[in-house]
Amino acid sequence: MAAHGGIEDAFQDKEIFNDQSSSRSRSQDDVQSHTEANIMPETETQLEHPDEEKGDLAKSSTVISTMDPRAFPDGGLKAWLVVFGGFCCLFCSFGWINCIGVFQDYYQTTLLRQYSPSTVSWIVSLETFMMFLGGPIMGKLYDNYGPRYLLLVGTFLHVFGLMMTSISTEYYQFILAQGICSPIGASAIFYPALSAVATWFFHRRALAFGIMASGSSLGGVIFPILVQNLIPKIGFPWTMRVSAFLILALLIIANLTVKSRLPPSPKPFSLMAFVKPLSEPTFALLTLGSFFIFFGIFIPFTFIQLSGQALGMSQHLSNYLLAVLNAASIFGRTLPGYLGDRFGRFNVIVVLNFFSALIILAIWLPARGNAPIIVFAALYGFGSGAFVSMVPACLAQISNIKEIGIRNGTLFAIVSFAALCGNPIAGALLGNGTSFTKVIIFSGVVYMAGAAIFLLTRATLVKWKIATKV
């Protein structure tokens, strides 16, 4: 009897242990489904009743929803071709935007030297603003019709705008061609790439976004060197045409490879569809944090060459600062993506946001020679590159993938106003002087504020648990 009682006690202990393990497992699954998944609908299950006369065991067949994490390929030829097409899209859209500092410098010293730095900066700020402002429209069109027609129209407008820039001579012409037409096309290229890649990857999404976003970094390396070396040899008009032809060639590849895994789901236009996501605290804070960071993130891209020259750097060496910054961001947009999938996307982006803000204030601000400026360019390229690639991955993590177009559009349309005003404010702080102290402090402070808000965004998901993957 004692042995029998001991066996019963052992089985009871085992059941208690199993109940506790199941409870811990369910708790971990709840956290993971809230922090790692976008909306994960329940799997549709159909039970096939057994034939009782034959004594067959009960069987079940599972129909996996297209929204279930198991339905995402997370690799394969088709998925990686979409990433490659997205790489080409971001090379031509965001990569072109990343070389705005070249045009700020060139216009300010040659074609538009009669205008103040603040006035000239409206051209390059409009490029960023118009590309992001088109988000709601491009997102809605993507959700309704897919990426094909958007890419075709975007290809035409982007290339046409650059061709018109090549024959521009007046300020208003640069505003219309380079500041409005070209970036509207870039917007129609940028958003379909972001949204399409998200439909193919789930567990490796941040890595896929990082590889795709590295296209913008490579574009930011090649375009400044291309423009600065070709202008003295073939002139500004033909330099712009060569750039436009290069963009056209890459966008032909993008048009052939960028596809969505999910069919379009047309819905009537509703303004509230764009406002509704802002009622979610996590989405609202993610958008607010991005807004503050976009106030400051492009200021180094725009003014790093001029600040280097003000500190005595040669024209020749300063021309390569933007290339150094964008070359470093290639690693900043790929490595953090891999780390984000492994340790948590919000964890990685919070750390690197604080890192970028700190080096603005700790390295760029006190810099008094060539070496610290070059070091800053490399480190800032890495840190800011992570922000650009990780934000779409973080957004997809907290979103229903069928609404990814609209939600991308809402976020980027809001931050476009920060991107529009950041550079002109910095230009006004600079004035006609050569001291960049106010410009750098402004950039660092707003970036730091954005980093703090990203920390609050993470807290809405897992409170203040430091070791949790999110």
Side-chain angles (χ1 to χ4, degrees):
M1 292 294 291
H4 180 69
I7 292 173
E8 285 183 346
D9 291 342
F11 274 111
Q12 288 175 356
D13 291 343
K14 183 176 181 181
E15 288 176 1
I16 292 171
F17 175 78
N18 287 341
D19 288 342
Q20 291 174 343
S21 299
S22 299
S23 177
R24 285 195 299 268
S25 177
R26 284 193 300 270
S27 177
Q28 291 172 353
D29 289 343
D30 289 342
V31 172
Q32 184 176 15
S33 65
H34 183 59
T35 61
E36 259 192 57
N38 43 20
I39 305 304
M40 291 167 54
E42 294 181 0
T43 305
E44 301 172 4
T45 303
Q46 178 184 2
L47 294 179
E48 298 178 358
H49 295 285
D51 187 341
E52 294 179 358
E53 293 181 358
K54 294 182 180 180
D56 291 338
L57 294 175
K59 298 180 293 183
S60 67
S61 63
T62 302
V63 180
I64 298 177
S65 165
T66 57
M67 300 293 292
D68 191 285
R70 290 170 292 175
F72 289 76
D74 263 318
L77 180 61
K78 288 184 178 179
W80 288 115
L81 279 176
V82 174
V83 173
F84 177 65
F87 176 95
C88 294
C89 286
L90 266 74
F91 183 101
C92 299
S93 56
F94 217 138
W96 181 257
I97 298 298
N98 278 347
C99 73
I100 54 179
V102 173
F103 293 100
Q104 176 76 24
D105 186 16
Y106 181 74
Y107 292 156
Q108 190 174 319
T109 56
T110 54
L111 296 178
L112 301 173
R113 57 182 175 273
Q114 68 271 31
Y115 295 95
S116 68
S118 180
T119 302
V120 172
S121 68
W122 280 106
I123 298 173
V124 295
S125 291
L126 268 175
E127 286 190 72
T128 309
F129 173 71
M130 295 303 297
M131 190 180 85
F132 291 137
L133 182 65
I137 297 172
M138 304 306 172
K140 183 63 177 177
L141 290 174
Y142 173 88
D143 288 341
N144 281 5
Y145 305 105
R148 174 171 297 180
Y149 299 112
L150 276 173
L151 287 173
L152 287 172
V153 173
T155 299
F156 170 78
L157 289 176
H158 193 17
V159 173
F160 179 74
L162 296 182
M163 290 294 186
M164 291 299 100
T165 303
S166 72
I167 59 174
S168 298
T169 57
E170 300 293 334
Y171 179 77
Y172 77 91
Q173 294 171 341
F174 287 103
I175 289 286
L176 292 175
Q178 188 175 358
I180 297 178
C181 179
S182 170
I184 289 177
S187 180
I189 296 162
F190 176 70
Y191 288 105
L194 290 184
S195 300
V197 168
T199 66
W200 291 90
F201 293 86
F202 183 81
H203 296 291
R204 304 169 75 184
R205 181 176 289 156
L207 175 62
F209 271 116
I211 294 172
M212 176 182 64
S214 67
S216 62
S217 300
L218 186 60
V221 173
I222 291 176
F223 281 124
I225 296 174
L226 181 76
V227 170
Q228 289 170 336
N229 283 278
L230 286 185
I231 287 178
K233 296 177 181 177
I234 61 176
F236 176 79
W238 269 107
T239 297
M240 297 301 291
R241 290 166 200 152
V242 168
S243 300
F245 282 126
L246 173 60
I247 287 172
L248 177 61
L250 290 172
L251 289 181
I252 290 174
I253 297 174
N255 276 270
L256 295 174
T257 55
V258 174
K259 299 175 183 178
S260 174
R261 181 178 64 88
L262 305 176
S265 52
K267 295 178 182 177
F269 179 84
S270 170
L271 185 61
M272 289 306 298
F274 299 98
V275 178
K276 183 180 176 182
L278 294 171
S279 64
E280 303 169 18
T282 304
F283 182 90
L285 284 172
L286 179 67
T287 303
L288 182 62
S290 300
F291 182 87
F292 274 94
I293 288 178
F294 265 81
F295 249 120
I297 193 171
F298 290 110
I299 291 175
F301 285 84
T302 305
F303 292 99
I304 191 168
Q305 290 186 208
L306 292 171
S307 70
Q309 293 169 19
L311 292 173
M313 183 178 289
S314 68
Q315 177 78 34
H316 176 74
L317 182 57
S318 69
N319 286 344
Y320 287 91
L321 285 174
L322 203 55
V324 170
L325 193 156
N326 283 300
S329 72
I330 294 176
F331 301 99
R333 295 183 188 187
T334 50
L335 180 59
Y338 170 78
L339 296 175
D341 288 334
R342 187 174 178 86
F343 300 108
R345 294 151 196 162
F346 280 92
N347 294 339
V348 173
I349 197 172
V350 165
V351 171
L352 289 175
N353 281 345
F354 278 110
F355 171 77
S356 298
L358 283 172
I359 62 172
I360 291 174
L361 298 172
I363 299 180
W364 193 21
L365 180 60
R368 291 297 180 269
N370 291 353
I373 290 287
I374 295 172
V375 170
F376 167 75
L379 293 177
Y380 183 76
F382 182 86
S384 63
F387 172 78
V388 171
S389 66
M390 293 293 290
V391 164
C394 291
L395 176 62
Q397 180 172 318
I398 61 171
S399 301
N400 184 331
I401 206 68
K402 285 189 174 181
E403 299 175 352
I404 194 66
I406 287 177
R407 293 167 76 89
N408 267 328
T410 298
L411 184 146
F412 282 107
I414 291 173
V415 303
S416 68
F417 290 94
L420 173 68
C421 299
N423 283 332
I425 290 174
L429 290 173
L430 176 62
N432 293 320
T434 58
S435 174
F436 285 81
T437 300
K438 294 179 181 178
V439 173
I440 297 170
I441 291 175
F442 172 72
S443 176
V445 168
V446 293
Y447 210 127
M448 186 67 74
I453 296 171
F454 262 84
L455 184 61
L456 292 176
T457 306
R458 182 189 182 277
T460 64
L461 296 173
V462 292
K463 301 187 183 301
W464 298 104
K465 298 175 183 176
I466 298 176
T468 303
K469 177 182 177 181
V470 57

